């Protein structure tokens, strides 16, 4: 306990209450970007998908859409979905696995429930996260890598299970390849269990997916992004069984603009991406998902 912040020094910088929106027929909670916080380290977007219960024949249907300037990270807690992209990649993702797609100069993909999963009721939940790319890699060639459970080390003990999804945590390093210094862990705590997040990265946060935790004397329920003050270790204690993401890292090399599915250090580049999608200059065709796409959103008044 002596390594934690002294009395009067708050471990909390800000708390974000996500806004809820609809994505492909089910609700998502969007924590970043928000008015309170635009990013945490290189992470520029975080959606909690579900939990959503689908009847027989139903499922998630996110039609083909474009990205630039980022990596998408799909991580499921429950259920399954199929990723397809314009480079011809098709991959089913299951709980605890990682789909890491680097958009770079541009890629189109879709995410849907498989025909097989629709034969029975399905429950789907997880996180969709975007990592902004360093300026030197914003226009890199697009790519996609799927990582199974064996790529992510697990640390367990005293009621805590920590899966190191990306980067290094608790003395373990993930095999997931990244283009900037970052960390991302999936933490599950039993009631009363405690973990301490060290102060080794400048920007850090916890997104509480389920349960209730106590941090710095305050209680937080699910659906909260708690952003921590820099330079201070943080103790997290589970009041109930809890699951949360720990993530952060070094800030990006300059501000990023986020519009729809596009991320860039240049507003002009985003305008170009808008025109490219509207005028079908992207490689629009996703093999196996050729008949639909999401049109460019109408400008807001």
């Amino acid at each position: 306990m002596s390594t934690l912040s002294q009395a009067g020094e708050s471990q909390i910088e800000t708390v974000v209450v996500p806004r809820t929106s609809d994505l492909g027929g089910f609700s998502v909670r969007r924590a970043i970007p928000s008015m309170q916080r635009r990013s945490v380290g290189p992470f520029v977007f975080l959606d909690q998908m579900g939990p959503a219960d689908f009847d027989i024949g139903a499922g998630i249907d996110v039609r083909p859409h474009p990205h630039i300037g980022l990596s998408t990270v799909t991580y499921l807690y429950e259920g399954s979905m199929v990723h397809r992209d314009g480079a011809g990649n098709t991959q089913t993702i299951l709980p605890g696995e990682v789909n890491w797609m680097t958009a770079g100069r541009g890629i189109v993909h879709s995410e849907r429930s498989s025909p097989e999963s629709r034969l029975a009721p399905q429950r789907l939940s997880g996180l969709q996260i975007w990592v902004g790319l360093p300026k030197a890699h914003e226009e890199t060639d697009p790519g996609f890598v799927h990582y199974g459970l064996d790529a992510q080390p697990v640390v367990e003990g005293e009621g805590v299970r920590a899966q190191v999804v990306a980067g290094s945590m608790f003395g373990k390093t993930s095999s997931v390849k990244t283009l900037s210094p970052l960390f991302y862990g999936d933490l599950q705590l039993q009631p009363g269990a405690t973990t301490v997040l060290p102060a080794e990265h400048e920007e850090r946060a916890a997104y509480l997916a389920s349960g209730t935790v106590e941090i710095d004397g305050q209680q937080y329920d699910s659906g909260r992004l708690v952003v921590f003050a820099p330079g201070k270790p943080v103790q997290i204690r589970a009041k109930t069984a809890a699951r949360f993401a720990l993530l952060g890292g070094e800030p990006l090399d300059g501000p990023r603009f986020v519009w729809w599915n596009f991320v860039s250090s240049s507003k002009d580049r985003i305008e170009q991406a808008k025109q490219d999608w509207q005028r079908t200059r992207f490689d629009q065709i996703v093999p196996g998902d050729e008949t639909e796409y999401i049109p460019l959103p109408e400008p807001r008044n």
Side-chain angles (χ1 to χ4, degrees), residues 66-72 100-109 131 133 137-144 261-263 269 282:
H67 289 286
I68 66 164
L70 56 86
S71 292
T72 64
W100 195 288
M101 184 185 76
T102 298
R105 58 181 168 78
I107 195 169
V108 179
H109 79 136
V131 180
L133 299 178
H137 297 284
E138 283 187 306
E139 297 299 319
T140 193
D141 290 339
F144 173 82
N261 300 314
F262 306 139
V263 175
R269 180 65 181 91
F282 273 88

Side-chain angles (χ1 to χ4, degrees), residues 122-145:
Q122 180 181 196
R123 185 173 175 86
L124 182 72
S125 67
L127 300 181
Q128 175 87 174
I129 297 175
W130 297 353
V131 180
L133 299 178
K135 290 178 181 178
H137 297 284
E138 283 187 306
E139 297 299 319
T140 193
D141 290 339
F144 173 82
V145 184

